[in-house]
mmCIF file of all heavy atoms in Angstrom:
data_model
loop_
_atom_site.group_PDB
_atom_site.id
_atom_site.type_symbol
_atom_site.label_atom_id
_atom_site.label_comp_id
_atom_site.label_asym_id
_atom_site.label_seq_id
_atom_site.Cartn_x
_atom_site.Cartn_y
_atom_site.Cartn_z
ATOM 1 N N LEU O 28 -14.739 2.200 33.190
ATOM 2 C CA LEU O 28 -15.442 3.319 33.505
ATOM 3 C C LEU O 28 -15.530 3.520 35.039
ATOM 4 O O LEU O 28 -15.458 4.632 35.640
ATOM 5 C CB LEU O 28 -16.958 3.256 33.038
ATOM 6 C CG LEU O 28 -17.172 3.476 31.535
ATOM 7 C CD1 LEU O 28 -18.520 3.161 31.119
ATOM 8 C CD2 LEU O 28 -16.761 4.961 31.256
ATOM 9 N N ALA O 29 -15.768 2.408 35.852
ATOM 10 C CA ALA O 29 -16.002 2.395 37.239
ATOM 11 C C ALA O 29 -14.666 2.876 38.061
ATOM 12 O O ALA O 29 -14.589 3.552 38.900
ATOM 13 C CB ALA O 29 -16.370 0.992 37.767
ATOM 14 N N GLU O 30 -13.480 2.568 37.343
ATOM 15 C CA GLU O 30 -12.304 3.065 37.905
ATOM 16 C C GLU O 30 -11.988 4.627 37.753
ATOM 17 O O GLU O 30 -11.347 5.234 38.644
ATOM 18 C CB GLU O 30 -10.969 2.451 37.140
ATOM 19 C CG GLU O 30 -10.921 0.926 37.386
ATOM 20 C CD GLU O 30 -9.746 0.225 36.473
ATOM 21 O OE1 GLU O 30 -9.058 0.915 35.760
ATOM 22 O OE2 GLU O 30 -9.712 -0.883 36.551
ATOM 23 N N GLU O 31 -12.608 5.189 36.877
ATOM 24 C CA GLU O 31 -12.706 6.584 36.647
ATOM 25 C C GLU O 31 -13.611 7.343 37.528
ATOM 26 O O GLU O 31 -13.426 8.588 37.814
ATOM 27 C CB GLU O 31 -12.883 7.024 35.250
ATOM 28 C CG GLU O 31 -11.781 6.559 34.328
ATOM 29 C CD GLU O 31 -11.787 7.231 32.954
ATOM 30 O OE1 GLU O 31 -12.254 8.291 32.681
ATOM 31 O OE2 GLU O 31 -11.467 6.406 32.072
ATOM 32 N N PHE O 32 -14.602 6.831 38.227
ATOM 33 C CA PHE O 32 -15.559 7.443 38.864
ATOM 34 C C PHE O 32 -15.758 6.766 40.220
ATOM 35 O O PHE O 32 -16.141 5.521 40.256
ATOM 36 C CB PHE O 32 -16.942 7.477 38.081
ATOM 37 C CG PHE O 32 -16.901 8.339 36.894
ATOM 38 C CD1 PHE O 32 -16.724 7.586 35.779
ATOM 39 C CD2 PHE O 32 -16.996 9.643 36.823
ATOM 40 C CE1 PHE O 32 -16.626 8.207 34.499
ATOM 41 C CE2 PHE O 32 -16.883 10.403 35.566
ATOM 42 C CZ PHE O 32 -16.718 9.527 34.444
ATOM 43 N N ASP O 33 -15.514 7.515 41.330
ATOM 44 C CA ASP O 33 -15.546 6.855 42.666
ATOM 45 C C ASP O 33 -17.027 6.272 42.959
ATOM 46 O O ASP O 33 -17.047 5.198 43.729
ATOM 47 C CB ASP O 33 -15.298 7.920 43.771
ATOM 48 C CG ASP O 33 -13.770 8.231 43.641
ATOM 49 O OD1 ASP O 33 -12.984 7.495 43.174
ATOM 50 O OD2 ASP O 33 -13.445 9.382 44.032
ATOM 51 N N ASP O 34 -17.970 6.866 42.622
ATOM 52 C CA ASP O 34 -19.366 6.398 43.141
ATOM 53 C C ASP O 34 -20.032 5.462 42.059
ATOM 54 O O ASP O 34 -21.144 5.160 42.147
ATOM 55 C CB ASP O 34 -20.344 7.626 43.247
ATOM 56 C CG ASP O 34 -20.523 8.360 41.916
ATOM 57 O OD1 ASP O 34 -19.534 8.437 41.147
ATOM 58 O OD2 ASP O 34 -21.548 9.222 41.913
ATOM 59 N N LEU O 35 -19.254 4.893 41.169
ATOM 60 C CA LEU O 35 -19.684 4.034 40.170
ATOM 61 C C LEU O 35 -19.115 2.645 40.161
ATOM 62 O O LEU O 35 -17.872 2.600 40.418
ATOM 63 C CB LEU O 35 -19.407 4.659 38.783
ATOM 64 C CG LEU O 35 -20.237 4.311 37.560
ATOM 65 C CD1 LEU O 35 -21.716 4.582 37.758
ATOM 66 C CD2 LEU O 35 -19.650 5.100 36.339
ATOM 67 N N THR O 36 -19.924 1.561 40.107
ATOM 68 C CA THR O 36 -19.412 0.288 39.896
ATOM 69 C C THR O 36 -19.801 -0.306 38.567
ATOM 70 O O THR O 36 -20.697 0.190 37.838
ATOM 71 C CB THR O 36 -20.222 -0.630 40.984
ATOM 72 O OG1 THR O 36 -21.518 -0.867 40.621
ATOM 73 C CG2 THR O 36 -19.939 -0.164 42.312
ATOM 74 N N ALA O 37 -19.100 -1.263 38.095
ATOM 75 C CA ALA O 37 -19.330 -1.976 36.764
ATOM 76 C C ALA O 37 -20.775 -2.561 36.816
ATOM 77 O O ALA O 37 -21.437 -2.355 35.641
ATOM 78 C CB ALA O 37 -18.377 -2.999 36.529
ATOM 79 N N GLU O 38 -21.149 -3.025 37.789
ATOM 80 C CA GLU O 38 -22.494 -3.579 37.934
ATOM 81 C C GLU O 38 -23.573 -2.399 37.731
ATOM 82 O O GLU O 38 -24.615 -2.608 37.071
ATOM 83 C CB GLU O 38 -22.780 -4.329 39.208
ATOM 84 C CG GLU O 38 -21.978 -5.625 39.355
ATOM 85 C CD GLU O 38 -20.560 -5.296 39.653
ATOM 86 O OE1 GLU O 38 -20.251 -4.223 40.286
ATOM 87 O OE2 GLU O 38 -19.643 -6.145 39.274
ATOM 88 N N LYS O 39 -23.319 -1.331 38.331
ATOM 89 C CA LYS O 39 -24.274 -0.212 38.303
ATOM 90 C C LYS O 39 -24.403 0.247 36.757
ATOM 91 O O LYS O 39 -25.541 0.629 36.288
ATOM 92 C CB LYS O 39 -23.787 0.956 39.271
ATOM 93 C CG LYS O 39 -24.920 2.021 39.413
ATOM 94 C CD LYS O 39 -24.236 3.158 40.242
ATOM 95 C CE LYS O 39 -25.068 3.236 41.641
ATOM 96 N NZ LYS O 39 -24.516 4.388 42.304
ATOM 97 N N VAL O 40 -23.259 0.355 36.104
ATOM 98 C CA VAL O 40 -23.296 0.809 34.769
ATOM 99 C C VAL O 40 -24.058 -0.199 33.957
ATOM 100 O O VAL O 40 -24.947 0.296 33.059
ATOM 101 C CB VAL O 40 -21.844 0.909 34.225
ATOM 102 C CG1 VAL O 40 -21.777 1.174 32.646
ATOM 103 C CG2 VAL O 40 -21.003 1.923 34.971
ATOM 104 N N PHE O 41 -23.842 -1.527 34.133
ATOM 105 C CA PHE O 41 -24.554 -2.467 33.364
ATOM 106 C C PHE O 41 -26.124 -2.421 33.659
ATOM 107 O O PHE O 41 -26.926 -2.440 32.700
ATOM 108 C CB PHE O 41 -24.115 -3.903 33.584
ATOM 109 C CG PHE O 41 -24.861 -4.924 32.810
ATOM 110 C CD1 PHE O 41 -24.661 -5.014 31.490
ATOM 111 C CD2 PHE O 41 -25.940 -5.578 33.485
ATOM 112 C CE1 PHE O 41 -25.326 -6.160 30.772
ATOM 113 C CE2 PHE O 41 -26.636 -6.559 32.613
ATOM 114 C CZ PHE O 41 -26.271 -6.735 31.348
ATOM 115 N N ASP O 42 -26.500 -2.156 34.888
ATOM 116 C CA ASP O 42 -27.855 -2.136 35.309
ATOM 117 C C ASP O 42 -28.530 -0.925 34.724
ATOM 118 O O ASP O 42 -29.710 -1.066 34.183
ATOM 119 C CB ASP O 42 -28.094 -2.070 36.852
ATOM 120 C CG ASP O 42 -27.677 -3.270 37.524
ATOM 121 O OD1 ASP O 42 -27.725 -4.401 36.775
ATOM 122 O OD2 ASP O 42 -27.440 -3.400 38.632
ATOM 123 N N LYS O 43 -27.955 0.123 34.594
ATOM 124 C CA LYS O 43 -28.478 1.364 33.812
ATOM 125 C C LYS O 43 -28.390 1.363 32.380
ATOM 126 O O LYS O 43 -29.318 1.797 31.724
ATOM 127 C CB LYS O 43 -27.610 2.657 34.325
ATOM 128 C CG LYS O 43 -27.613 2.866 35.867
ATOM 129 C CD LYS O 43 -28.415 4.027 36.102
ATOM 130 C CE LYS O 43 -28.588 4.281 37.565
ATOM 131 N NZ LYS O 43 -29.766 4.806 38.045
ATOM 132 N N THR O 44 -27.407 0.642 31.792
ATOM 133 C CA THR O 44 -27.233 0.681 30.292
ATOM 134 C C THR O 44 -27.462 -0.504 29.540
ATOM 135 O O THR O 44 -27.899 -0.498 28.406
ATOM 136 C CB THR O 44 -25.885 1.284 29.901
ATOM 137 O OG1 THR O 44 -24.993 0.220 30.276
ATOM 138 C CG2 THR O 44 -25.540 2.503 30.561
ATOM 139 N N GLY O 45 -27.328 -1.733 30.170
ATOM 140 C CA GLY O 45 -27.333 -2.990 29.600
ATOM 141 C C GLY O 45 -26.170 -3.323 28.722
ATOM 142 O O GLY O 45 -26.159 -4.131 27.939
ATOM 143 N N ILE O 46 -25.077 -2.499 28.826
ATOM 144 C CA ILE O 46 -23.939 -2.615 28.110
ATOM 145 C C ILE O 46 -22.726 -3.068 29.011
ATOM 146 O O ILE O 46 -22.580 -2.464 30.019
ATOM 147 C CB ILE O 46 -23.497 -1.237 27.366
ATOM 148 C CG1 ILE O 46 -24.700 -0.980 26.548
ATOM 149 C CG2 ILE O 46 -22.229 -1.298 26.611
ATOM 150 C CD1 ILE O 46 -24.533 0.599 25.961
ATOM 151 N N ASN O 47 -21.895 -3.946 28.540
ATOM 152 C CA ASN O 47 -20.802 -4.394 29.184
ATOM 153 C C ASN O 47 -19.485 -3.820 28.558
ATOM 154 O O ASN O 47 -18.552 -3.317 29.268
ATOM 155 C CB ASN O 47 -20.579 -5.919 29.246
ATOM 156 C CG ASN O 47 -21.424 -6.602 30.224
ATOM 157 O OD1 ASN O 47 -21.463 -6.050 31.383
ATOM 158 N ND2 ASN O 47 -21.953 -7.618 29.881
#
Side-chain angles (χ1 to χ4, degrees):
L28 281 174
E30 289 173 7
E31 293 192 32
F32 301 96
D33 292 333
D34 62 336
L35 202 57
T36 66
E38 294 78 21
K39 191 184 245 186
V40 174
F41 180 78
D42 289 343
K43 297 249 182 219
T44 65
I46 299 170
N47 280 318

